[in-house]
Every structure is written in C-alpha cells, then in structure tokens.
Amino acid sequence: MPGHDLSPSTIAVASGRPDRTPGSPLNAPITLASALVPGGASEYGRHGNPAWQAFEQVLGDLEGGLALAFSSGVAATTAVFDLVPAKAAVVAPQHAYSGTLTQLRERARRGLIDLRLVDVTDTRAVIDASDDAALVWLESPTNPMLDVADVEAIAQAAARAGTAVAVDNTFATPLRQRPLDLGADFVVHSASKLISGHSDVVLGAVVTNARRAHRAIEARRSNLGAIPGAMECWLAARGLRTLHVRLDRAESNARELAQRLQGTRAVERVRYPGFGTIVSFEVAGGPEVAQKITETSEIITYATSLGGVESTWERRRRHEAEPVEVPENLIRLSVGIEDVEDLWYDVDRCLRAF
Ligand SMILES: *Cc1c(COP(=O)(O)O)cnc(C)c1O
C-alpha cells in the first residue's frame, strides 16, 4: 500500500491483491484445499485457507481492523455470543435481525445468559442496562425498523464499565459507519447482503482491532467449524471491489424513493435513517394490502434478503420469527441500482392498485 492514507473507494479496489510479481494474477486464486503443506499459517482447511485472505484483507482494511470470514452472518454472530461467560448479562435491541434475537432468546431460555432487551435509540437505557453486562450487542441501523444507535456514546460508557460492544454493521457497511473507530470491540457482518451485493452468496464476518479478540474469534471459528467456502470468499471479495459505486447509486435511489413515499396517501409512515439502501414503510391499507402490493411488482422482486443490485421487497411479518414489535403492515424495500424513475413507476403503480 502507498505511503499516504487511501480513501475507502481506493481500498475497496486495491486491497487484498496478490504481490505484483511477473506472471501473477491480479486477483487471488480460489484455492480448494483440505490439507496444506506443514510449516505455513495452516495445515488443515478448517483452520485456515489462503482463499479466505483476500476477502478478509479488504474488509479488514475498510473497517480499520482484522477481519475473519465465517460461513454466514449468523455463524459470525454465534462466534461473538460464544465468548460471553456463563450466566453473564447480554444487552440487545428489542427488535433486530430475527435470527440474532432467536438465538439470544434460546440462550436465555437455556439459562446460558441473562438477556436484557432495550430500545437502542434510548442511549440512557442502553447504558444503564449495560453497566454490569458482559456484552452490548447493537445493530445500527436495525433490520427492518432502521433504528439508529449512538454507538460512540454507548461504547464509551461500556469501556468504563468493562463491557464489550459488538455492532452488526450489515446495513451501514464500513463506508457509512466504522464501529471500531467509534469504540466498539467487534463488528459483525452478514456479507450475504451489500458486501457481496449480487444475491449469490451466504457469508459472514467478524472484525476486531485487538490481537487477543482476533485470536479468540479465530479459535471459535475453528472449534465451531463455522468456516467460509473458498468460492464464497472469492465472490465476496469481488463484490467489495464495487461496494462504493453500488452503495452510492442505491443510496441515492433509496433517498429519492423515501422522499416520494413520504408524500403518498397509501403510506402511513416511512422509515429511512438518511443513509443506506433500505427503506421501510407502513401501508395505510393494512397487512393484507401490504402483502398484495409486494406480490404485484414488475421490476422490484418479491423476495427476502437485501443488499443486491436488484431491488427486492417483502412484508417482514410474513415470517413467523419476526419480532412482534415490527408492524404487520411494514414493507422492507431493499433498493438496488436500477433507474430510479423505473423503480418509482413500479412502487407507485403497486400502491395505486389496491
Ligand atoms: C441477514 C442478516 C443477518 C444474518 O446473516 P446471514 O448471512 O443470513 O446468516 C444478520 N444481521 C443482519 C442485520 C442481517 O440483515
């Protein structure tokens, strides 16, 4: 890397490349290996594979820490939860990604942790709950309610109390929020979303900025066997090359759509935090109308997941595991990089159809 601070766009493109020796490829190859010659970083494919490195290097450089790839976002989350001592308190958002809450509730039910659910926008409440906790888990913005937490204030208080802070940064991406800079100890990603960006990968990551934490997370990965695939890492590294371009375009589309939805009679409430590519809105006609709207679109795909180049939407409460705090009539729209007028044509047509 050159001797001056590079901008995130340049890091996204330039980081994690092989050495520039004659004849070497510009992209790191996909290494398929269960066993490697002893004496290097790893000699067995569950402990390490050179194919993970390019992705980990780029993501780590973008977040300002050391990244470790996992088989999914949930596997990455599990690795962090697994560091919590038995019966210790964990503070978490009252509504967030359903898989995260399902797992926390299950651990609490089994008596493994003392779970404290909070409103992450209420900084005082989060700090009060975290005083004697082992871990504060934040997701900001939250999925799908788009609540934003004051990560810096919460991390400062947690540091004084000796409480670890982890931030699920899936919605913001390192280009809109760098939790480690704000004082967090762990950043967690579902790389299945914006990082990969093409709805073709399931992958996760944990990023830390302390050697000890990095070693602990790496040990969890090996011991849990929650390792990524070589192909998935390669695709996610390729996805990261264009993250800044995709994000800029999708975000400008999202901002425009959020504004237009705001002035629409069929829409009761629009949630958009001012950045990012996700817009959630509540349909005045109720849950059944909301469901029909999502099934009527021509350009936007009716599908779960988010963060792809193609726009998708769904009524989140159609999933049984979705927290009951999420309104039944809420549609989560993941805005892609299509032409914004084509997207608005589709949204407007669907809203008028019922
Ligand atoms: C999708 C998602 C996850 C889970 O990631 P997977 O890759 O599906 O396991 C975690 N957090 C958030 C915010 C998500 O959107």
Side-chain angles (χ1 to χ4, degrees), residues 72-74 97 139 143 168 170-171 190 192-193 202-203 306:
S72 67
V74 166
Y97 177 65
E139 190 178 286
N143 179 0
D168 183 330
T170 301
F171 274 33
S190 169
S192 322
K193 314 292 168 57
V202 175
L203 190 73
L306 54 99

Side-chain angles (χ1 to χ4, degrees), residues 9-345:
S9 308
T10 308
I11 292 172
V13 173
S15 172
R17 300 280 186 184
D19 289 342
R20 291 179 184 174
T21 52
S24 75
L26 270 65
N27 290 291
I30 299 171
T31 309
L32 299 173
S34 59
L36 302 108
V37 176
S42 161
E43 60 176 273
Y44 184 51
R46 180 158 43 75
H47 302 312
N49 180 325
W52 305 344
Q53 283 162 12
F55 168 68
E56 291 178 339
Q57 187 71 50
V58 190
L59 180 61
D61 286 348
L62 288 172
E63 286 284 7
L66 298 165
L68 288 160
F70 280 81
S71 49
S72 67
V74 166
T77 303
T78 304
V80 176
F81 289 166
D82 249 32
L83 298 181
V84 174
K87 308 215 182 294
V90 175
V91 179
Q94 57 190 352
H95 45 77
Y97 177 65
S98 57
T100 302
L101 286 173
T102 301
Q103 188 173 170
L104 284 172
R105 288 209 167 95
E106 193 181 296
R107 283 170 188 253
R109 210 164 37 243
R110 290 160 60 203
L112 302 176
I113 57 165
D114 164 21
L115 180 59
R116 299 173 183 167
L117 298 178
V118 292
D119 172 358
V120 295
T121 65
D122 186 344
T123 305
R124 194 66 255 162
V126 179
I127 291 173
D128 287 348
S130 56
D131 201 27
D132 58 344
L135 175 69
V136 180
W137 180 273
L138 296 174
E139 190 178 286
S140 187
T142 57
N143 179 0
M145 300 280 263
L146 302 170
D147 284 352
V148 173
D150 185 342
V151 174
E152 191 164 22
I154 293 167
Q156 265 172 16
R160 283 194 294 274
T163 305
V165 175
V167 180
D168 183 330
N169 206 27
T170 301
F171 274 33
T173 85
L175 301 186
R176 294 294 179 267
Q177 173 171 266
R178 296 218 316 176
L180 299 177
D181 290 351
L182 301 173
D185 303 282
F186 303 95
V187 176
V188 174
H189 277 287
S190 169
S192 322
K193 314 292 168 57
L194 276 151
I195 283 178
S196 292
H198 297 75
S199 308
D200 52 10
V201 169
V202 175
L203 190 73
V206 179
V207 194
T208 60
N209 60 3
R211 278 265 154 224
R212 238 182 95 222
H214 180 261
R215 273 199 303 274
I217 293 291
E218 192 169 26
R220 293 323 303 146
R221 179 173 69 181
S222 276
N223 296 349
L224 293 165
I227 57 162
M231 184 72 185
E232 280 75 7
C233 284
W234 192 90
L235 283 166
R238 184 162 80 165
L240 276 171
R241 302 293 183 214
T242 57
L243 175 62
H244 50 298
V245 181
R246 289 184 285 108
L247 183 60
D248 283 354
R249 172 60 174 268
E251 183 175 70
S252 105
N253 284 352
R255 203 173 275 144
E256 183 63 31
L257 293 180
Q259 207 164 53
R260 292 190 193 182
L261 282 165
Q262 197 86 56
T264 305
R265 268 223 318 273
V267 173
E268 222 165 47
R269 176 169 181 185
V270 180
R271 295 167 193 267
Y272 184 66
F275 66 97
T277 66
I278 310 296
V279 180
S280 292
F281 61 97
E282 291 157 43
V283 175
E288 273 125 65
V289 172
Q291 184 62 38
K292 281 193 207 145
I293 285 170
T294 56
E295 291 174 20
T296 304
S297 51
E298 290 168 0
I299 299 163
I300 301 167
T301 308
Y302 169 50
T304 195
S305 199
L306 54 99
V309 290
E310 67 291 305
S311 297
T312 57
W313 62 3
E314 67 170 339
R315 190 177 67 84
R316 279 302 289 175
R317 284 292 298 282
R318 76 190 177 88
H319 301 285
E320 228 166 75
E322 193 67 3
V324 294
E325 287 84 1
V326 176
E328 285 269 19
N329 60 342
L330 181 141
I331 294 175
R332 186 188 67 195
L333 167 60
S334 171
V335 182
I337 62 170
E338 303 93 337
D339 182 273
V340 72
E341 295 305 334
D342 289 340
L343 291 176
W344 178 248
Y345 154 82

